[in-house]
């Protein structure tokens, strides 16, 4: 029988009543003839509570015990979902990560899935089980200890199961009805997309559209897993949600598919550093070691052998960046006159595979921002994305103006 993977996020299993509604959806797919692998998150808020308890008990906690505690939320929902399905006469069984086993690396707190042997679950399907309810977000390390995959990791569990079992589709049930052209809270004209390409979704996910864990989209792209994002609060329908799929499965699309934003950015500039070979390595090496996620980088023009180096990073990493750079200066590895820090910037990005074949997208974006008198501080581009750093107070205006200018409120 064909296999379907259905993943229910925290809000979709937040109460016994909602678990019941989710189980109903599962039973509908079983009735259509699918064997179903259900991946569940912990009840909404549970994982945060568990993380809090760990911190209260042990501020510098042992990551193995963190995983032992934090993975437990999913165990509860997996068992309850299986029970509910059994109540509906659907043959169902729950599985914790180690029972499958979901084999991961031993990077506790952010482990990666290395293999999912399918024989145990397939054997049960062959014996008449119709639903395997698997606890998301967790696995087992080569040492035999429980691991977790990083926050939001049950999306990745779902896609990895879909790839391993060659599922027909992977449906991700959440509290929004799909992927939007931009954040509906910022722009009321935001429109739900019927389809979006893996690469675009990857850019949007990493740019802060929090619908899917970035890693899950990477996996889906690599294994060509058809991924559908849909709401568990709407009536079931085949056309519901957004399909994240291969570029070739998208017939028509706008040049730009979405406008993403990221609010809490900081721009840091090292003023007057020596312009010599190795200087970028001397600056960004220590930042990487300190765990600073540097995003955009600009080296300004050089004068008399000295230059300014600008980069952006999340605001909550500014202190760490400052400390690392000052330590590098004190150690004599770099030399700068001043470190300028602007904590009030935001990043706005236009994303679309259509950019590959259309010239003038960047020019249009800059013109729109100019007309709104928004000053651009830093620009970066990739093949399918243009990002600008602007004053945070203009972020909403920029998103709305770009959404209008690229006609995103209308389908192609
Ligand atoms: N429960 C985990 C979290 O809140 C994993 C997930 O729901 O995706 O991060
Ligand atoms: Mg999530």
């Amino acid at each position: 029988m064909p296999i379907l993977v259905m993943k229910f996020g925290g809000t979709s299993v937040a109460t016994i009543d909602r678990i019941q509604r989710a189980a109903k959806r599962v039973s509908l797919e079983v009735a259509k003839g699918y064997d179903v692998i259900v991946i569940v998150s912990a009840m909404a808020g549970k994982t945060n509570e568990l993380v809090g308890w760990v911190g209260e008990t042990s501020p510098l906690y042992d990551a193995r015990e963190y995983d032992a505690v934090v993975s437990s939320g999913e165990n509860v929902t997996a068992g309850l979902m299986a029970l509910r399905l059994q109540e509906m006469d659907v043959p169902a069984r729950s599985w914790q990560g180690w029972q499958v086993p979901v084999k991961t690396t031993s990077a506790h707190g952010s482990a990666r899935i290395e293999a999912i042997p399918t024989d145990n679950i397939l054997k049960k399907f062959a014996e008449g089980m119709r639903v395997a309810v698997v606890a998301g977000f967790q696995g087992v390390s080569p040492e035999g200890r429980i691991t977790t995959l990083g926050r939001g990791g049950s999306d990745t569990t779902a896609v990895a199961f879909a790839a391993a079992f060659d599922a027909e589709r992977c449906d991700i049930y959440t509290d929004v009805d799909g992927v939007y052209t931009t954040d509906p809270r910022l722009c009321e004209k935001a429109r739900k997309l019927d389809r979006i390409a893996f690469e675009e979704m990857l850019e949007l996910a990493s740019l802060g559209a929090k619908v899917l864990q970035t890693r899950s989209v990477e996996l889906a792209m690599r294994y060509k897993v058809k991924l559908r994002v849909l709401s568990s609060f709407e009536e079931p329908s085949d056309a519901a949600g957004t399909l994240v799929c291969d570029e070739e499965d998208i017939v028509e699309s706008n040049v730009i598919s979405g406008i993403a934003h990221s609010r809490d950015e900081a721009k840091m500039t090292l003023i007057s550093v020596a312009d010599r070979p190795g200087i970028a390595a001397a600056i960004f090496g220590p930042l990487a070691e300190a765990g600073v996620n540097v995003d955009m980088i600009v080296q300004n023009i050089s004068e008399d052998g000295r230059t300014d180096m600008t980069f952006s990073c999340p605001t909550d990493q500014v202190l760490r960046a400052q400390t690392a750079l000052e330590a590098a200066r004190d150690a004599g590895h770099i030399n700068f006159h001043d470190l300028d820090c602007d904590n009030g910037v935001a990043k706005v990005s236009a994303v679309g595979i259509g950019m590959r074949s259309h010239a003038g997208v960047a020019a249009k974006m800059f013109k729109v921002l100019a007309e709104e008198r928004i000053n651009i501080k830093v620009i970066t581009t990739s093949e399918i994305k243009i990002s600008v750093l602007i004053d945070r107070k203009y972020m909403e205006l920029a998103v709305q103006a770009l959404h209008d200018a690229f006609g995103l409120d209308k389908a192609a």
Side-chain angles (χ1 to χ4, degrees):
M1 274 188 244
I3 292 182
L4 193 66
V5 172
M6 302 172 76
K7 181 251 169 178
F8 293 93
T11 49
S12 305
V13 292
T15 61
I16 300 301
D17 184 53
R18 288 192 188 167
I19 290 176
Q20 191 163 334
R21 293 220 304 246
K24 182 91 205 9
R25 274 180 198 269
V26 174
S27 71
L28 292 176
E29 302 292 358
V30 170
K32 283 187 206 163
Y34 287 109
D35 279 342
V36 181
I37 300 177
V38 174
I39 310 292
V40 286
S41 286
M43 289 174 161
K46 259 298 157 207
T47 309
N48 286 341
E49 183 179 43
L50 295 168
V51 169
W53 288 350
V54 169
E56 266 177 56
T57 310
S58 167
L60 291 174
Y61 55 78
D62 178 329
R64 286 161 294 201
E65 302 309 337
Y66 167 95
D67 278 352
V69 175
V70 168
S71 63
S72 65
E74 272 72 9
N75 299 345
V76 175
T77 39
L80 291 173
M81 177 70 82
L83 284 173
R84 187 60 227 166
L85 286 160
Q86 289 173 3
E87 286 294 323
M88 299 162 76
D89 291 328
V90 179
R93 184 60 67 205
S94 73
W95 305 72
Q96 295 182 10
W98 65 272
Q99 292 174 300
V100 176
V102 178
K103 297 184 180 175
T104 73
T105 60
S106 34
H108 286 274
S110 58
R112 284 180 166 243
I113 296 176
E114 300 210 299
I116 302 178
T118 56
D119 21 327
N120 283 341
I121 286 179
L122 287 180
K123 186 164 156 271
K124 287 284 174 192
F125 277 143
E127 288 167 13
M129 177 185 72
R130 299 300 308 279
V131 182
V133 187
V134 179
F137 179 53
Q138 50 172 266
V140 59
S141 74
E143 294 77 32
R145 299 224 62 96
I146 306 300
T147 54
T148 63
L149 309 178
R151 298 306 305 272
S154 47
D155 294 333
T156 300
T157 306
V159 173
F161 270 80
F165 286 82
D166 200 17
E168 195 167 295
R169 211 174 55 237
C170 179
D171 284 344
I172 307 273
Y173 284 91
T174 172
D175 50 2
V176 293
D177 60 352
V179 180
Y180 277 72
T181 50
T182 196
D183 185 343
R185 287 167 302 187
L186 287 196
C187 176
E188 58 179 25
K189 291 187 198 160
R191 179 176 55 85
K192 190 190 69 120
L193 293 160
D194 290 332
R195 286 173 183 236
I196 186 165
F198 289 127
E199 277 186 279
E200 294 173 324
M201 191 62 229
L202 202 52
E203 292 285 3
L204 294 176
S206 62
L207 289 169
K210 295 200 181 83
V211 212
L212 291 170
Q213 198 194 33
T214 307
R215 178 99 188 92
S216 72
V217 186
E218 282 169 10
L219 268 189
M221 180 155 109
R222 167 136 32 104
Y223 295 102
K224 296 209 186 289
V225 171
K226 264 198 190 153
L227 198 59
R228 193 163 64 137
V229 177
L230 67 174
S231 163
S232 62
F233 299 96
E234 292 199 342
E235 283 309 306
S237 115
D238 285 341
T242 300
L243 191 71
V244 189
C245 58
D246 212 58
E247 222 178 299
E248 282 134 40
D249 298 328
I250 299 179
V251 194
E252 293 229 58
S253 73
N254 286 318
V255 177
I256 299 297
S257 297
I259 308 290
H261 65 84
S262 152
R263 186 185 297 272
D264 297 312
E265 301 281 326
K267 172 168 113 20
M268 303 190 76
T269 303
L270 286 151
I271 297 170
S272 187
V273 291
D275 189 8
R276 57 166 173 82
I279 190 64
I283 292 170
F284 295 104
L287 288 173
E289 271 162 41
V292 178
N293 293 311
V294 172
D295 179 21
M296 305 163 120
I297 299 176
V298 183
Q299 182 175 339
N300 300 281
I301 54 162
S302 169
E303 230 177 285
D304 299 329
R306 301 199 73 84
T307 185
D308 296 345
M309 191 78 85
T310 299
F311 64 90
S312 69
C313 69
T315 43
D316 60 4
Q317 296 181 357
V318 165
L319 201 61
R320 225 187 289 172
Q322 263 167 345
T323 312
L325 291 171
E326 275 155 16
R329 175 168 67 181
D330 294 346
H333 301 316
I334 51 174
N335 175 339
F336 52 87
H337 284 182
D338 212 348
L339 182 56
D340 180 78
C341 175
D342 181 352
N343 261 312
V345 292
K347 183 169 68 168
V348 173
S349 311
V351 173
I353 45 175
M355 246 182 245
R356 289 203 198 109
S357 49
H358 279 77
V361 177
K364 179 165 173 181
M365 177 165 178
F366 303 152
K367 184 159 167 275
V368 171
L369 296 174
E371 279 164 7
E372 300 294 340
R373 311 198 128 277
I374 299 171
N375 189 34
I376 301 172
K377 296 172 176 246
V378 179
I379 303 168
T380 54
T381 65
S382 79
E383 209 188 0
I384 65 159
K385 176 189 74 175
I386 303 165
S387 299
V388 294
L389 216 53
I390 59 175
D391 273 332
R392 188 173 304 136
K393 60 176 184 257
Y394 298 127
M395 187 182 78
E396 248 179 85
L397 176 62
V399 168
Q400 290 163 358
L402 291 168
H403 198 270
D404 277 346
F406 285 107
L408 290 186
D409 53 330
K410 293 179 274 312

